[in-house]
Amino acid sequence: MSKISKVAIVGGTHGNEFSGIYLIKKWQQQPQLLARASLQVETVFANPKAHAENKRYIDADLNRQFSAQSLADYDLANYEQSRAKALHQQLGPKANPNMDLVIDLHNTTSNMGPTLILLEQTPFYKQLAAYVKMQMPEAVIFLEEAEDDMAQHRFLASCGKYGVLIEVGPQPQSALRQDILEQMERMTGYILDFVDLYNQQAVPELPKLLEAFLYLDTITLPMDEQGERLAMVHQHVQDNDFKPLNPGEPLFRTFNGEDIYYEGNKTVYPAFINEAAYYDNNLAMSFLDKVYIEVN
Amino acid sequence: MSKISKVAIVGGTHGNEFSGIYLIKKWQQQPQLLARASLQVETVFANPKAHAENKRYIDADLNRQFSAQSLADYDLANYEQSRAKALHQQLGPKANPNMDLVIDLHNTTSNMGPTLILLEQTPFYKQLAAYVKMQMPEAVIFLEEAEDDMAQHRFLASCGKYGVLIEVGPQPQSALRQDILEQMERMTGYILDFVDLYNQQAVPELPKLLEAFLYLDTITLPMDEQGERLAMVHQHVQDNDFKPLNPGEPLFRTFNGEDIYYEGNKTVYPAFINEAAYYDNNLAMSFLDKVYIEVN
């Protein structure tokens, strides 16, 4: 087992997600709050220009620019594509990263509570998730689609040897809620605690099985041929992130007042329901499966 | 009594407040939903350019550009200042308006429910508010600061002979919630119903006293000398729009974890608590007084 010595905590990857941005500012004033015996922790403000303009991004979503292919393509030169290359130098490179762990802080307008998003399902990640869940039972564990090759992962957190996202909501864009900020701060603290215990080979006994949600698919709003939306997320689904959606239950409500039903053949667990940031692409929600993973 | 014959329903005065924008689109497809015997109703999309860019505004807040002084100043030539002059031609002019009533549709990220904002407190407004409250007990009546001279009012709705705002939340910017859209649609319908009854001198018996909230003041977040925020809205206040805030109760939480208390000498009723759109100016909330007005 190699130690996880260098940790980067990244805020403001999306410029209008305020919890991470204000936590970074707070921790820069009070670095002792991040101090753990076996770790070096640094803070990174990923997209200050987008934050200054109070927007998610200037030219393109920063958190989709980190595939090895994009990072190697110097014709991709807009602000976020350039910023990604700079951050990859700072946190990566993926082949031999400066950072052992990258914690990327995000907010959602969806009712997802404090969610820990894992990029892979190796033993380190599973133990980390089990520890966080043990300390913070309200935490939700979200498993990203498995990538055969992490080098091609598009997320900022994939720059580190390990990478996780903390995604906390509901919080409107450009607003700062005390409850959401405190959930993010607590989850970040538990992650640092775990890594310190892991380095000292002092991880406590963890539950053997962990409930988690595995990403399946992303669902689009119903549209007409001119690209106009025909419907909105149904109130039967709204705010029910990580709750079961069964075949035959209402999914959308058209502007004519008709219901559109979920026609799949298995129960799914939606998340990022009606996320405001996904309105550019008319995404309605993600579907996930509920799974139990073995912690070993 | 002169009839109220021409009504304009305005959506998208702020480009990222989606309920009004989608209702306008819906009503343009289904104009029969707005039809009332004694009325001509038209729909207006106030700031389509800001909506296309998914922003509140391009250059300046459109809903602050309608004072007689600004409208007469042709050096004020940015997008919203120009758009205001065009809308004033269409809906006004204030001295002799084309529109007898302007209904301006807004969303807030604050937990204000369906709120009817009145620009004045003349008998027509009070009867209208009492009728809406009778049909929709969850509605909140919000009284704008009295202006000596409506000509100097900065709101778009002041272009009409009468003007009201419908303000419904909580809804994140750039998202569309079914519950919020339906509340806005119902309140708009009750206003049209009332105006039709008023024209026909068939207004039913109304309650004699009406609970309302009178605007007092706007409160700023605590800031340091460099213009950095020192605190956020306290969770004791968050989401408690129109609930009493008593002297000595917590108002802000600093990033150092300290509480700042409300030091006024009377109970107030906050609204627009932690509204995301007011983050540009670091506004925390408005304070209102709870009053009972006589309906006559």
Side-chain angles (χ1 to χ4, degrees), chain A residues 18 22 25-26 30 173-174 176-178 228-229 234-235 238-239 253 255-256 274 276 279, chain B residues 18 22 25-26 30 173-174 176-178 182 228 234-235 238-239 253 255-256 274 276 279:
Chain A
F18 276 25
Y22 277 86
K25 291 187 194 193
K26 171 176 175 166
Q30 304 173 66
Q173 297 170 350
S174 313
L176 189 63
R177 290 180 62 104
Q178 184 190 343
E228 285 282 325
R229 288 183 214 163
H234 199 285
Q235 64 187 12
Q238 177 74 46
D239 301 329
R253 167 67 63 99
F255 297 115
N256 293 329
N274 212 5
Y279 262 63
Chain B
F18 276 25
Y22 276 87
K25 291 187 193 193
K26 171 177 176 167
Q30 305 173 67
Q173 296 170 350
S174 313
L176 190 63
R177 291 179 63 103
Q178 184 189 344
E182 289 178 357
E228 285 283 322
H234 199 285
Q235 65 188 10
Q238 178 73 47
D239 302 330
R253 167 68 62 101
F255 297 115
N256 293 329
N274 213 3
Y279 263 63

Side-chain angles (χ1 to χ4, degrees), chain A residues 3-294:
Chain A
K3 283 196 180 180
I4 291 171
S5 305
K6 297 182 72 178
V7 178
I9 305 179
V10 182
T13 297
H14 294 132
N16 57 11
E17 295 177 9
F18 276 25
S19 304
I21 294 165
Y22 277 86
L23 281 174
I24 293 291
K25 291 187 194 193
K26 171 176 175 166
W27 291 325
Q28 286 170 351
Q29 298 285 322
Q30 304 173 66
Q32 72 280 9
L33 296 174
L34 300 177
R36 301 291 186 281
S38 67
L39 302 182
Q40 283 179 40
V41 183
E42 63 183 72
T43 55
V44 176
F45 192 171
N47 199 337
K49 188 168 155 67
H51 180 59
E53 298 198 14
N54 196 22
K55 293 163 73 171
R56 182 173 174 87
Y57 56 78
I58 302 295
D59 296 316
D61 189 331
L62 178 58
N63 206 32
R64 302 291 182 276
Q65 307 302 330
F66 291 88
S67 72
Q69 193 177 356
S70 297
L71 291 167
D73 185 345
Y74 291 103
D75 291 336
L76 300 178
N78 71 27
Y79 178 67
E80 278 80 11
Q81 289 160 348
S82 305
R83 190 82 192 108
K85 290 171 177 70
L87 288 161
H88 181 243
Q89 280 180 18
Q90 181 179 0
L91 306 172
K94 292 191 181 190
N96 184 22
N98 289 321
M99 291 298 149
D100 297 313
L101 173 63
V102 173
I103 305 171
D104 190 20
L105 305 179
H106 288 262
N107 289 122
T108 173
T109 66
S110 304
N111 187 28
M112 287 169 61
T115 298
L116 177 64
I117 302 181
L118 307 182
L119 298 191
E120 297 186 282
Q121 294 178 43
T122 58
F124 168 77
Y125 284 106
K126 292 195 256 185
Q127 290 177 37
L128 166 65
Y131 181 83
V132 168
K133 181 88 180 165
M134 196 166 73
Q135 300 297 332
M136 198 175 178
E138 68 274 33
V140 177
I141 309 304
F142 183 123
L143 307 172
E144 266 293 302
E145 227 173 349
E147 294 264 351
D148 287 342
D149 181 3
M150 283 300 292
Q152 290 306 332
H153 207 294
R154 298 181 301 162
F155 282 5
L156 180 148
S158 69
C159 287
K161 180 177 171 194
Y162 297 103
V164 296
L165 288 77
I166 299 179
E167 182 78 69
V168 194
Q171 181 170 272
Q173 297 170 350
S174 313
L176 189 63
R177 290 180 62 104
Q178 184 190 343
D179 51 355
I180 300 295
L181 181 128
E182 288 178 357
Q183 286 176 339
M184 183 178 280
E185 186 170 23
R186 286 177 58 219
M187 188 179 275
T188 305
Y190 294 134
I191 293 173
L192 296 180
D193 291 344
F194 171 79
V195 174
D196 195 33
L197 292 166
Y198 180 86
N199 286 340
Q200 299 176 35
Q201 299 189 290
V203 173
E205 190 172 354
L206 299 171
K208 299 225 174 337
L209 270 187
L210 178 66
E211 178 192 277
F213 294 88
L214 176 66
Y215 174 86
L216 296 174
D217 201 3
T218 296
I219 306 305
T220 307
L221 289 164
M223 313 283 288
D224 70 12
E225 288 170 3
Q226 286 74 48
E228 285 282 325
R229 288 183 214 163
L230 295 170
M232 54 194 156
V233 169
H234 199 285
Q235 64 187 12
H236 177 76
V237 180
Q238 177 74 46
D239 301 329
N240 287 325
D241 297 76
F242 302 115
K243 301 288 193 321
L245 173 69
N246 298 305
E249 291 182 345
L251 184 56
F252 300 114
R253 167 67 63 99
T254 73
F255 297 115
N256 293 329
E258 288 159 12
D259 288 345
I260 297 176
Y261 300 91
Y262 167 54
E263 293 186 340
N265 54 19
K266 62 176 278 191
T267 298
V268 290
Y269 298 79
F272 289 111
I273 295 170
N274 212 5
E275 161 59 50
Y278 295 164
Y279 262 63
D280 288 12
N281 355 18
N282 296 299
L283 303 181
M285 68 193 75
S286 296
F287 281 172
L288 296 92
D289 201 3
K290 187 174 179 175
V291 296
Y292 291 87
I293 54 176
E294 278 188 72

Side-chain angles (χ1 to χ4, degrees), chain B residues 146-161:
Chain B
E147 294 266 350
D148 288 343
D149 181 3
M150 283 299 294
Q152 290 305 334
H153 206 294
R154 298 181 301 161
F155 283 3
L156 181 148
S158 69
C159 287
K161 181 177 172 193

Side-chain angles (χ1 to χ4, degrees), chain B:
Chain B
M1 184 202 93
S2 61
K3 283 197 180 179
I4 291 172
S5 304
K6 297 181 72 178
V7 178
I9 304 178
V10 182
T13 298
H14 294 132
N16 56 10
E17 295 177 8
F18 276 25
S19 303
I21 294 166
Y22 276 87
L23 281 174
I24 293 291
K25 291 187 193 193
K26 171 177 176 167
W27 290 326
Q28 286 170 350
Q29 299 284 322
Q30 305 173 67
Q32 73 280 7
L33 296 173
L34 299 177
R36 301 292 187 280
S38 67
L39 303 182
Q40 282 178 43
V41 183
E42 63 183 71
T43 54
V44 176
F45 192 170
N47 199 335
K49 188 168 155 69
H51 180 58
E53 297 198 15
N54 197 22
K55 293 163 72 170
R56 181 173 174 88
Y57 55 77
I58 302 295
D59 298 316
D61 189 330
L62 178 58
N63 207 31
R64 302 292 183 275
Q65 307 303 328
F66 290 88
S67 72
Q69 193 177 357
S70 297
L71 290 167
D73 185 344
Y74 291 104
D75 291 335
L76 300 179
N78 72 26
Y79 178 67
E80 278 81 9
Q81 290 162 345
S82 305
R83 189 81 193 110
K85 290 170 176 70
L87 288 162
H88 181 243
Q89 280 181 18
Q90 182 179 359
L91 306 172
K94 291 190 182 192
N96 184 22
N98 289 321
M99 291 298 148
D100 298 311
L101 173 63
V102 173
I103 305 170
D104 190 19
L105 306 179
H106 287 263
N107 289 121
T108 173
T109 66
S110 305
N111 187 28
M112 287 170 61
T115 298
L116 178 63
I117 302 180
L118 308 181
L119 298 191
E120 297 185 282
Q121 294 178 45
T122 59
F124 167 78
Y125 283 106
K126 293 195 252 185
Q127 289 177 37
L128 166 64
Y131 181 84
V132 167
K133 182 87 179 164
M134 195 166 74
Q135 300 297 330
M136 197 174 181
E138 68 274 32
V140 177
I141 310 304
F142 183 124
L143 308 172
E144 266 294 303
E145 226 173 350
E147 294 266 350
D148 288 343
D149 181 3
M150 283 299 294
Q152 290 305 334
H153 206 294
R154 298 181 301 161
F155 283 3
L156 181 148
S158 69
C159 287
K161 181 177 172 193
Y162 297 103
V164 296
L165 287 78
I166 299 179
E167 183 78 69
V168 193
Q171 181 171 272
Q173 296 170 350
S174 313
L176 190 63
R177 291 179 63 103
Q178 184 189 344
D179 52 356
I180 300 296
L181 183 128
E182 289 178 357
Q183 287 176 338
M184 183 179 279
E185 186 170 23
R186 285 177 58 218
M187 188 179 275
T188 306
Y190 293 134
I191 292 173
L192 296 179
D193 291 345
F194 171 79
V195 174
D196 195 33
L197 292 165
Y198 180 86
N199 286 340
Q200 297 175 36
Q201 300 189 290
V203 173
E205 190 171 354
L206 297 171
K208 299 225 174 339
L209 269 188
L210 178 66
E211 178 192 277
F213 294 87
L214 176 66
Y215 174 86
L216 297 174
D217 201 3
T218 296
I219 305 305
T220 306
L221 290 164
M223 314 282 288
D224 70 13
E225 288 170 4
Q226 285 74 46
E228 285 283 322
R229 287 181 215 164
L230 295 171
M232 52 193 158
V233 170
H234 199 285
Q235 65 188 10
H236 177 76
V237 180
Q238 178 73 47
D239 302 330
N240 286 326
D241 298 76
F242 303 115
K243 301 288 193 323
L245 173 68
N246 298 306
E249 291 183 345
L251 183 57
F252 300 115
R253 167 68 62 101
T254 73
F255 297 115
N256 293 329
E258 288 160 12
D259 288 345
I260 297 176
Y261 299 92
Y262 166 54
E263 293 186 339
N265 54 18
K266 62 176 277 192
T267 298
V268 290
Y269 297 79
F272 289 111
I273 295 170
N274 213 3
E275 161 61 49
Y278 296 163
Y279 263 63
D280 287 12
N281 353 23
N282 296 300
L283 303 181
M285 67 193 76
S286 297
F287 282 171
L288 296 92
D289 200 3
K290 187 172 177 175
V291 297
Y292 291 87
I293 54 176
E294 278 189 71
V295 181
N296 40 25

